[in-house]
Amino acid sequence: MSSKNLIESALMQMNLKEKRTDKQQRIVEAAIKIFAEKGYTATSTNEIAKAAEVAEGTIFRHFGTKENLLLSVIVPFLMEAAPIVADEFIKGVVSKPYDSFESFLTAIIKNRFAFLEEHIDIFKILVAELLNREDLRQYLMKMFEQKALPVFGAVLDTYKQRGELLDLPNATLLRMLGTCIFGYCISRFAFFPNSKWDDEAEVENLVRLILQGIGASK
Amino acid sequence: MSSKNLIESALMQMNLKEKRTDKQQRIVEAAIKIFAEKGYTATSTNEIAKAAEVAEGTIFRHFGTKENLLLSVIVPFLMEAAPIVADEFIKGVVSKPYDSFESFLTAIIKNRFAFLEEHIDIFKILVAELLNREDLRQYLMKMFEQKALPVFGAVLDTYKQRGELLDLPNATLLRMLGTCIFGYCISRFAFFPNSKWDDEAEVENLVRLILQGIGASK
Amino acid sequence: MSSKNLIESALMQMNLKEKRTDKQQRIVEAAIKIFAEKGYTATSTNEIAKAAEVAEGTIFRHFGTKENLLLSVIVPFLMEAAPIVADEFIKGVVSKPYDSFESFLTAIIKNRFAFLEEHIDIFKILVAELLNREDLRQYLMKMFEQKALPVFGAVLDTYKQRGELLDLPNATLLRMLGTCIFGYCISRFAFFPNSKWDDEAEVENLVRLILQGIGASK
Amino acid sequence: MSSKNLIESALMQMNLKEKRTDKQQRIVEAAIKIFAEKGYTATSTNEIAKAAEVAEGTIFRHFGTKENLLLSVIVPFLMEAAPIVADEFIKGVVSKPYDSFESFLTAIIKNRFAFLEEHIDIFKILVAELLNREDLRQYLMKMFEQKALPVFGAVLDTYKQRGELLDLPNATLLRMLGTCIFGYCISRFAFFPNSKWDDEAEVENLVRLILQGIGASK
DNA sequence: TATGAATGAGAATTCATTCAT
DNA sequence: CATGAATGAATTCTCATTCAT
């Protein structure tokens, strides 16, 4: 039922993504749209085939199973969403340090919001699948520990040394940052994507919440 | 396709909840367990029947449709989770005011965490359904505006007057509080319910984040 | 599937019909109404129970099976519809002969029309069941041969001797009479019961058709 | 519940009938056979699938629903049975007039008997469905009024002028003709298809009944 | 490579019937 | 007598997947 090995599958997808034919692309796009709308299980391959204007058999010729089609949607997103962040940071954010944690935070939040806005449907699919797939959860936690923690840890240390951050363990800081930002993203992008949000103000508020909280200075 | 009127259905469920027979109860409990584990759509009524040790027909005699069984799980939870909170507050928290916003916040977060911990499976089901059901989203937003906003607004006003809170619009404050706490709950209860969490410390950290943020001396 | 022995069952029903309790009567009436409307197979016992305002179990307490309920509707009708006719004829029509075949025919057609009008729903049910139940067909044919043929045969002979009827074999005459009248009844009572019919004129036309046909002067 | 629009559906069927694949044809044939034998509601798709030697899913792939399979049986029959009759008459019977109403009547009765004999099962199905489906009844009545009445009306007028027919309103004449012939068909083809009938003699008798009745000349 | 007809296992739901109360 | 909860077999229909063309 669950994918044999998510990561192996991931690596295979990596190579394939670029090389998608027109029909493959149409299938993936149709799948993303309908999976996001109705949920993976509630979506039939027949529906996807119609939306993609291909024969049902074509889906299976290219993706083998319905679950594999799902992974072909999720995995490239994960690949792009997370590790690349790390790489960017090493080359970009971290090495070319921002003058304050605030501007750093603002930059990264804006960056990730833009990314999610672009891939809002896949994000919804991912959130839904996380609820039911232990393998995905494990995978995400591992990525967090192996990729995010070290890279962001270094960043946090820098700002802690500058006295801009509370002197809490990085794991704690990151978990708080993570749940707060992730929670915001879920509310905004997954649950209420149709509400109108004032982008500028929202980011500003979120950054202030994270940095100063909502308590008044005493 | 979707339930005709979620709220009407809700009120009817209210009365019925107490009067559940033994078998009905077993069905509901089995449904909660499996829905949470695999998702509503991926769960078959046959599976539920086996887990509840009843005949499949019995499910339909009592709940009519599979969807109605889902509502019989979700709706009483919503009824219990939200409006009662408001009532409790009017009679409890608000009228018997805490000596500080911090202790108020700590109290309510602990209270809601305990509630969610008790109903962790239903919470997962609710989160999953929120992703696909517009009616549920609408219902929750309406409850937020009609119930939470006025009651909590009054509370916030009190503390603002005492100078314990930033002077931001209540809607803004509540949205920030809400997404932050809700996000935390989703991470903790829905996505990673199996991780070990140090309750005391977590609540403390969350309250500090909300009140002071993670930024150091201003 | 089919009733063990329609005739045995029939005789048992005979006795029971008079002795029906209130609930039994309500069940039979509800069954007649719904069977006629939707057909026997498409009607559920649950439906009947609701319409009769009894518990579903009550139906089975009294009638054993759904099929037996059907027979409890059909059989008394057959008993009343056919043999009694014969008896009436022996005592009434035949022995107190009408002055012409025309008045005889008019009398009997009016009489049977009135009877059918009164039992229009059961007639519909009977017609529907005749299509699928060989036993019913056999039963009807046997009744025709054993009861109707001799009795009516005598009547026909009388009028043939008087020179009012073509000198054809009784079987032929009766089959023609039968299909013609029966066909008319089906059209009128089973297929188009809601159309408005001018009773007087219809009977008159039917009698004329049977006696003179629609051909003009010979 | 009932078909949205029988006539629309009808026209769509028209085109499709010719293009039936082998399996579709086998399904339709099996359906006709079993529907006629046991009735539509009492027939399961599983049964049809077995008789047609296809998988049950194949039925639904081609016909969508069981009811639609029923329509795929009935509608082409209606299309072929009725309007074409009218056309044939305009080009055949009416324009190439018979020398007497008797020969005309004999011709048409023979023609329709042959048609029914060929499609005896579908006729049974149609008769059974007429009992429960208002839409079918409406459709037939409309066809009678729009198609049969004008065309046959003209024919009757012709023979009335020649003095071969009673001077009754066409509607009356046709209703009498119709119920008489239809009644005969139902008896013969639907109720007692297995009895042995002497074709020649039967038609002759029926025509005589219609033209002269069974009364002796006075 | 692409198709779409065919499949059969499995889904939700219905239903006649039983039986303890 | 009457009830209605409980049953599980049967029913209609869906769906991922296969395969001949």
Side-chain angles (χ1 to χ4, degrees):
Chain A
M1 186 129 300
S2 98
S3 61
K4 287 303 152 50
N5 188 328
L6 207 139
I7 297 177
E8 261 185 37
S9 158
L11 297 178
M12 281 165 53
Q13 296 296 337
M14 280 287 280
N15 309 334
L16 297 177
K17 199 195 167 180
E18 314 290 281
K19 299 166 193 163
R20 276 182 192 148
T21 67
D22 171 48
K23 298 211 170 186
Q24 282 172 315
Q25 189 55 30
R26 262 154 51 204
I27 290 169
V28 167
E29 274 163 20
I32 289 172
K33 190 156 178 299
I34 314 185
F35 284 163
E37 201 176 309
K38 317 178 43 173
Y40 167 70
T41 335
T43 300
S44 74
T45 49
N46 168 41
E47 228 172 334
I48 297 171
K50 273 179 188 147
E53 290 178 308
V54 299
E56 215 170 342
T58 309
I59 294 179
F60 290 90
R61 160 160 295 276
H62 288 299
F63 299 92
T65 65
K66 188 188 165 193
E67 180 173 23
N68 206 29
L69 173 57
L70 173 67
L71 292 179
S72 301
V73 164
I74 289 181
V75 167
F77 175 81
L78 286 180
M79 297 290 111
E80 205 178 335
I84 291 180
V85 168
D87 291 353
E88 267 176 19
F89 277 157
I90 291 168
K91 294 179 200 155
V93 182
V94 181
S95 56
K96 174 185 39 157
Y98 286 82
D99 50 343
S100 70
F101 185 66
E102 184 174 347
S103 58
F104 166 77
L105 197 60
T106 305
I108 172 182
I109 286 179
K110 277 188 178 165
N111 174 279
R112 289 300 89 185
F113 273 24
F115 179 75
L116 287 186
E117 198 117 52
E118 211 180 330
H119 300 290
I120 198 162
D121 279 341
I122 308 188
F123 180 64
K124 253 185 89 170
I125 296 168
L126 177 64
V127 168
E129 289 309 307
L130 268 176
L131 290 170
N132 300 316
R133 300 184 65 126
E134 183 59 20
D135 58 349
L136 254 189
R137 288 195 291 259
Q138 296 286 349
Y139 178 74
L140 268 200
M141 289 193 73
K142 197 157 74 185
M143 284 216 323
F144 177 80
E145 277 165 27
Q146 293 180 353
K147 303 274 179 174
L149 227 162
V151 175
F152 281 88
V155 175
L156 293 180
D157 286 340
T158 307
Y159 290 109
K160 272 197 253 179
Q161 282 166 8
R162 294 202 206 160
E164 292 187 40
L165 279 178
L166 291 185
D167 194 15
L168 294 170
N170 282 343
T172 304
L173 283 176
L174 277 178
R175 200 166 56 239
M176 291 168 65
L177 267 171
T179 56
C180 188
I181 297 178
F182 187 50
Y184 184 87
C185 292
I186 288 185
S187 298
R188 171 162 181 175
F189 297 110
F191 289 145
F192 303 106
N194 300 320
S195 305
K196 288 164 194 162
W197 303 82
D198 175 352
D199 257 341
E200 291 290 320
E202 287 293 329
V203 172
E204 201 178 308
N205 283 333
L206 185 55
V207 169
R208 180 172 50 211
L209 172 67
I210 289 171
L211 287 181
Q212 308 167 30
I214 60 173
S217 62
K218 287 144 201 180
Chain B
M1 188 131 302
S2 91
S3 60
K4 287 303 152 49
N5 187 330
L6 207 137
I7 298 178
E8 261 185 38
S9 159
L11 298 178
M12 281 166 52
Q13 297 294 339
M14 279 288 278
N15 308 333
L16 298 177
K17 198 197 169 179
E18 315 288 278
K19 298 165 194 162
R20 276 184 191 145
T21 67
D22 171 50
K23 299 217 165 180
Q24 280 172 314
Q25 191 55 31
R26 263 155 52 206
I27 291 169
V28 167
E29 275 162 20
I32 289 172
K33 192 160 175 297
I34 314 184
F35 283 164
E37 201 177 309
K38 316 177 48 171
Y40 167 72
T41 335
T43 301
S44 77
T45 50
N46 169 37
E47 228 171 335
I48 297 172
K50 273 178 188 149
E53 288 178 308
V54 299
E56 210 169 346
T58 307
I59 294 179
F60 291 91
R61 153 163 277 272
H62 288 298
F63 300 93
T65 63
K66 189 187 167 195
E67 180 174 21
N68 206 27
L69 174 56
L70 174 68
L71 290 180
S72 300
V73 165
I74 289 182
V75 167
F77 174 82
L78 286 180
M79 296 290 108
E80 209 177 332
I84 291 180
V85 168
D87 290 352
E88 268 175 18
F89 278 157
I90 290 168
K91 295 179 198 153
V93 183
V94 180
S95 56
K96 176 185 38 158
Y98 286 81
D99 50 342
S100 69
F101 185 67
E102 182 173 350
S103 58
F104 166 79
L105 198 60
T106 306
I108 173 182
I109 286 180
K110 278 188 176 164
N111 175 281
R112 288 301 89 184
F113 273 24
F115 178 77
L116 287 186
E117 197 117 52
E118 213 180 327
H119 300 291
I120 199 163
D121 278 343
I122 308 188
F123 180 65
K124 254 185 87 170
I125 296 168
L126 178 64
V127 168
E129 290 309 306
L130 268 175
L131 289 170
N132 298 316
R133 299 182 67 125
E134 181 61 19
D135 58 348
L136 256 189
R137 289 195 290 258
Q138 298 285 350
Y139 177 73
L140 270 200
M141 291 194 72
K142 196 156 76 183
M143 283 215 324
F144 178 80
E145 276 164 29
Q146 292 181 351
K147 302 275 179 175
L149 227 161
V151 176
F152 282 89
V155 176
L156 293 179
D157 286 340
T158 307
Y159 290 109
K160 272 197 252 177
Q161 281 166 6
R162 292 202 207 162
E164 295 186 37
L165 282 178
L166 289 184
D167 195 16
L168 294 169
N170 283 340
T172 304
L173 285 176
L174 278 178
R175 200 165 57 238
M176 292 168 65
L177 268 172
T179 56
C180 186
I181 298 179
F182 187 50
Y184 185 87
C185 292
I186 288 186
S187 299
R188 169 159 182 179
F189 298 110
F191 289 144
F192 303 106
N194 300 319
S195 305
K196 288 164 196 160
W197 304 80
D198 174 352
D199 255 340
E200 289 290 320
E202 287 294 331
V203 172
E204 203 179 308
N205 283 334
L206 184 55
V207 169
R208 182 173 46 214
L209 172 66
I210 289 171
L211 287 180
Q212 308 166 30
I214 59 174
S217 64
K218 294 136 201 184
Chain C
M1 184 129 301
S2 98
S3 62
K4 288 303 151 50
N5 186 328
L6 207 139
I7 297 177
E8 260 184 39
S9 159
L11 298 178
M12 281 164 53
Q13 297 296 337
M14 279 288 279
N15 309 332
L16 298 176
K17 199 199 168 178
E18 315 289 280
K19 299 165 195 164
R20 276 182 191 149
T21 68
D22 171 50
K23 297 210 168 185
Q24 284 172 312
Q25 190 55 29
R26 262 154 51 206
I27 291 169
V28 167
E29 274 163 19
I32 289 172
K33 192 160 175 297
I34 314 184
F35 284 164
E37 202 177 310
K38 317 176 46 171
Y40 167 71
T41 335
T43 301
S44 74
T45 50
N46 168 42
E47 226 172 336
I48 297 171
K50 272 181 189 147
E53 289 179 308
V54 299
E56 215 170 342
T58 308
I59 294 178
F60 291 89
R61 162 159 294 276
H62 288 298
F63 300 93
T65 64
K66 188 188 167 193
E67 180 172 24
N68 205 29
L69 172 57
L70 174 67
L71 292 180
S72 300
V73 164
I74 288 182
V75 168
F77 174 83
L78 287 181
M79 296 292 111
E80 208 178 333
I84 291 179
V85 168
D87 290 353
E88 267 176 20
F89 278 157
I90 289 168
K91 294 180 199 154
V93 182
V94 181
S95 57
K96 175 187 38 161
Y98 287 80
D99 51 341
S100 69
F101 184 67
E102 181 173 350
S103 57
F104 166 78
L105 196 62
T106 305
I108 174 181
I109 287 180
K110 277 188 177 164
N111 175 279
R112 289 300 89 186
F113 273 24
F115 179 76
L116 287 187
E117 197 118 53
E118 211 179 330
H119 300 290
I120 198 163
D121 279 341
I122 309 188
F123 179 65
K124 253 185 92 170
I125 297 169
L126 177 64
V127 167
E129 290 308 307
L130 268 176
L131 289 169
N132 300 315
R133 302 183 64 126
E134 182 60 22
D135 58 349
L136 255 190
R137 288 195 290 259
Q138 296 287 348
Y139 178 74
L140 270 199
M141 289 194 73
K142 196 157 73 186
M143 284 215 323
F144 177 80
E145 277 165 26
Q146 293 181 352
K147 303 275 180 174
L149 227 160
V151 176
F152 282 89
V155 176
L156 293 179
D157 286 341
T158 305
Y159 290 109
K160 272 196 255 177
Q161 283 165 8
R162 292 202 206 161
E164 293 187 39
L165 283 177
L166 289 184
D167 194 17
L168 293 169
N170 282 341
T172 303
L173 284 176
L174 278 179
R175 200 166 56 238
M176 292 169 65
L177 266 173
T179 56
C180 186
I181 296 178
F182 186 50
Y184 184 86
C185 292
I186 288 186
S187 299
R188 168 161 184 178
F189 297 110
F191 291 145
F192 304 105
N194 300 320
S195 305
K196 287 165 195 159
W197 304 81
D198 175 352
D199 258 340
E200 291 289 320
E202 288 293 330
V203 173
E204 202 179 307
N205 283 333
L206 184 56
V207 169
R208 180 173 46 212
L209 173 65
I210 291 171
L211 288 180
Q212 308 166 29
I214 59 173
S217 64
K218 295 135 201 186
Chain D
M1 187 130 304
S2 92
S3 59
K4 286 305 149 51
N5 188 328
L6 209 138
I7 297 176
E8 263 185 35
S9 159
L11 297 178
M12 281 165 53
Q13 297 295 338
M14 279 289 279
N15 309 335
L16 298 177
K17 200 195 167 179
E18 316 288 280
K19 298 164 193 164
R20 277 185 192 145
T21 67
D22 171 49
K23 298 216 168 185
Q24 281 172 315
Q25 190 55 31
R26 261 154 52 205
I27 291 169
V28 167
E29 273 162 20
I32 289 172
K33 192 159 175 294
I34 313 185
F35 283 164
E37 201 176 310
K38 316 179 47 172
Y40 167 71
T41 334
T43 301
S44 75
T45 50
N46 170 38
E47 227 171 334
I48 297 172
K50 273 178 187 150
E53 289 178 307
V54 299
E56 208 168 348
T58 307
I59 294 179
F60 292 92
R61 153 162 276 273
H62 287 299
F63 299 93
T65 64
K66 189 187 165 194
E67 181 174 18
N68 205 26
L69 172 57
L70 174 68
L71 291 181
S72 301
V73 165
I74 288 182
V75 167
F77 174 82
L78 286 180
M79 296 291 110
E80 207 177 335
I84 291 179
V85 168
D87 290 353
E88 268 176 18
F89 278 156
I90 290 168
K91 296 180 199 153
V93 182
V94 181
S95 56
K96 174 186 38 158
Y98 288 80
D99 50 341
S100 70
F101 185 67
E102 183 175 348
S103 57
F104 166 78
L105 196 61
T106 305
I108 171 182
I109 287 180
K110 278 189 177 164
N111 175 280
R112 288 301 90 185
F113 273 23
F115 178 76
L116 286 187
E117 197 117 53
E118 210 180 331
H119 300 290
I120 199 162
D121 280 340
I122 308 188
F123 180 64
K124 252 186 92 172
I125 296 169
L126 177 64
V127 167
E129 290 309 305
L130 267 176
L131 289 170
N132 298 317
R133 300 184 64 128
E134 182 60 21
D135 58 350
L136 256 188
R137 287 194 290 259
Q138 297 285 348
Y139 178 73
L140 271 199
M141 289 194 72
K142 198 157 75 184
M143 285 213 326
F144 177 80
E145 277 165 28
Q146 292 181 352
K147 302 274 180 172
L149 228 160
V151 175
F152 283 88
V155 176
L156 293 179
D157 286 339
T158 306
Y159 291 108
K160 271 197 254 178
Q161 283 166 6
R162 294 201 206 160
E164 294 187 38
L165 283 177
L166 290 185
D167 194 17
L168 294 170
N170 282 340
T172 303
L173 284 176
L174 277 178
R175 200 165 57 239
M176 292 168 66
L177 266 172
T179 56
C180 186
I181 297 177
F182 186 50
Y184 184 86
C185 291
I186 288 186
S187 299
R188 168 161 182 176
F189 297 110
F191 291 143
F192 304 106
N194 300 319
S195 306
K196 286 163 195 161
W197 304 80
D198 175 353
D199 257 340
E200 290 290 320
E202 287 294 327
V203 172
E204 200 177 309
N205 283 333
L206 184 56
V207 170
R208 179 170 52 211
L209 171 67
I210 289 170
L211 286 180
Q212 309 165 31
I214 61 173
S217 62
K218 290 146 200 179

